[in-house]
Amino acid sequence: MLVRDKVVVVTGGAGGIGKALAERFAREGARHVAVADLDVSRVREVANSIRGSAHEVDVRVEAAILDLVKEVEAQSGPIDLFCSNAGVLLFDPDIEMPADTPDEVWKMSWEVNVMAHVYAARAVLPSMLERGEGYLLNTVSAAGLLSMIGASSYATTKHAAIGLAESLSIAYADRGIRVSVVCPQAVLTGMTGTDHNFGADHDGILTPEAVAACVVEGLAGEQFLILPHPTVAGYMRAKARDPDLWLSKLRHIRRGFLDNN
């Protein structure tokens, strides 16, 4: 898909990857970019800067996403590309006891990192299927392919998000629907502004703009898996080739992290 002349929705668009995506889509010539987020003031700034529309949306609430889709379609026409980008990274309170991570952490992670993608698909697919075309882009993470130390709910829900996207692609590709997931490692956003460990193998922290550039390229090629950090593909092969060795290496990294803290 080329974004030019398309109607695009981006959730989690007030900052980070979402903001960079909205700005890049506008530069690529999108007909309209709708930017959604809970942070009303910041999302309005982003939308105004690109002459798009701002929408206050809690992606954990299905009715809110349905209302978003209705508003955008009423104002700008059918949605060509829905970017379900909002996400949350919550760390285990005790890195040594991930099984003790509280239910509220798991609930928040599940609602934002998985169910928001489900709600988005439910909201836009009827119109897309009727037209025989449409695109779903889900921002996930390399953690959904490889895992992550110290954030069990994040790694688990990101794995689930990959599984959902695969199911959507399998079910709807023959009916004109395309699905992509973007899976970066560390990106310079609010999520990385902490002292927590992001893993020894993240291969550098990318800017959100660099991720957005990779997304535009991946959409043009209709790639299911968009990897802003190319080395992730090699890690995936290593994990598939010898899962036990892969887990052994992650245990070694974890022990080193614990020893240094």
Side-chain angles (χ1 to χ4, degrees):
M1 168 185 277
L2 297 179
V3 180
R4 178 171 292 279
D5 296 326
K6 299 296 192 295
V7 175
V8 183
V9 175
V10 181
T11 67
I17 293 174
K19 176 176 180 288
L21 287 173
E23 292 171 341
R24 182 60 186 256
F25 293 150
R27 289 200 302 274
E28 292 292 320
R31 180 158 61 87
H32 182 77
V33 180
V35 192
D37 203 287
L38 272 175
D39 191 328
V40 181
S41 60
R42 289 180 64 198
V43 80
R44 284 175 179 164
E45 290 178 7
V46 175
N48 289 339
S49 72
I50 61 172
R51 298 183 179 181
S53 59
H55 305 263
E56 182 181 2
V57 176
D58 184 345
V59 298
R60 298 172 298 175
V61 181
E62 183 170 14
I65 295 181
L66 285 167
D67 287 344
L68 167 65
V69 169
K70 290 176 183 177
E71 288 175 12
V72 174
E73 289 182 338
Q75 295 169 3
S76 304
I79 295 167
D80 299 292
L81 170 63
F82 193 105
C83 303
S84 185
N85 169 77
V88 61
L89 169 56
L90 302 175
F91 291 92
D92 300 324
D94 184 350
I95 191 174
E96 297 193 63
M97 297 293 291
D100 290 346
T101 295
D103 286 355
E104 56 266 25
V105 172
W106 283 97
K107 184 174 185 291
M108 174 68 81
S109 299
W110 182 258
E111 288 176 341
V112 179
N113 294 342
V114 181
M115 293 310 299
H117 298 315
V118 176
Y119 299 152
R122 286 177 182 170
V124 296
L125 276 172
S127 175
M128 289 181 175
L129 289 170
E130 185 177 355
R131 303 191 317 267
E133 61 181 4
Y135 213 123
L136 301 173
L137 170 71
N138 295 346
T139 300
V140 188
S141 169
L145 301 167
L146 305 175
S147 199
M148 183 171 178
I149 297 166
S152 56
S153 67
Y154 184 77
T156 301
T157 54
K158 292 300 186 177
H159 274 75
I162 295 287
L164 169 65
E166 290 175 342
S167 295
L168 295 173
S169 180
I170 292 166
Y172 296 111
D174 290 344
R175 300 174 68 180
I177 310 302
R178 298 293 175 259
V179 181
S180 291
V181 291
V182 53
C183 295
Q185 290 187 287
V187 181
L188 191 61
T189 69
M191 285 186 178
T192 57
T194 73
D195 293 327
H196 291 285
N197 176 47
F198 277 80
D201 293 323
H202 59 59
D203 304 314
I205 299 179
L206 295 179
T207 65
E209 292 74 22
V211 175
C214 290
V215 166
V216 168
E217 182 178 346
L219 291 176
E222 298 187 348
Q223 301 169 2
F224 174 76
L225 196 58
I226 300 174
L227 301 176
H229 291 84
T231 51
V232 170
Y235 298 145
M236 290 173 59
R237 288 190 290 269
K239 179 181 179 181
R241 186 166 54 246
D242 194 335
D244 292 316
L245 179 60
W246 175 258
L247 290 172
S248 177
K249 289 181 177 179
L250 289 185
R251 293 185 198 110
H252 176 74
I253 293 171
R254 177 180 176 276
R255 284 192 292 269
F257 175 72
L258 292 174
D259 290 343
N260 292 326
N261 289 271

